[in-house]
Amino acid sequence: MTRVRVTAPRGVSPRIIPLSGIAPHGSALHGSALPAAHSSADARDAAQESDAGQVFIRSLIRSQLRLGLVVAGGFLLILLAFPLMLGLVPGLAHSTIAGLPFDWVLLGAGIYPVIGLSAWLYVRTAARNEARYRDLAGDK
């Protein structure tokens, strides 16, 4: 059986082509239609199949993994800093803000901006990594 890679660029309406003769007889795909790859997808596949393309893909995967680990590690450090701060600063755990315990306010109002900032930084940097990969691979 031949290995087939199906790709489609985002935001582009794919063409529909029949698959008659591609799928084995009796399968669910025989005579059905799937999106066809465009010339940019063909160029991307050709770049991925070359030795340089494989290096670019491995580099992208490593950079995305490194980014995920850095963002997760930074988030965990900040998350662990909250209980340390409450334990090391005397009287902070027993103080109140607007009638609410400080530790509740810290977890309720302090952690969500950290989650949002971590997510925003991750998405922004991941998109930049992918744009650099597309520039290196020649896919525009």
Side-chain angles (χ1 to χ4, degrees):
M1 180 170 265
T2 305
R3 181 176 170 195
V4 177
R5 179 179 292 167
V6 179
T7 60
R10 282 189 167 181
V12 175
S13 174
R15 295 178 310 186
I16 303 296
I17 60 170
L19 288 178
S20 59
I22 294 176
H25 291 286
S27 72
L29 290 177
H30 183 70
S32 67
L34 287 178
H38 294 284
S39 60
S40 64
D42 293 337
R44 182 174 48 236
D45 288 342
Q48 290 174 354
E49 296 301 324
S50 69
D51 291 337
Q54 293 295 324
V55 170
F56 292 153
I57 290 173
R58 281 195 303 269
S59 174
L60 174 65
I61 291 171
R62 277 195 310 268
S63 67
Q64 297 293 53
L65 176 63
R66 189 172 37 249
L67 172 64
L69 292 174
V70 166
V71 170
F75 176 73
L76 287 175
L77 284 176
I78 291 171
L79 190 61
L80 291 175
F82 286 170
L84 286 175
M85 181 176 60
L86 290 172
L88 295 177
V89 177
L92 191 59
H94 301 291
S95 62
T96 60
I97 296 176
L100 296 172
F102 179 73
D103 51 355
W104 285 30
V105 173
L106 184 64
L107 288 176
I111 198 64
Y112 288 107
V114 172
I115 292 171
L117 181 64
S118 297
W120 178 75
L121 285 172
Y122 177 80
V123 168
R124 188 177 129 228
T125 309
R128 186 172 44 214
N129 287 344
E130 291 172 5
R132 286 180 185 158
Y133 165 73
R134 283 191 304 271
D135 288 343
L136 288 173
D139 186 27
K140 297 190 185 209

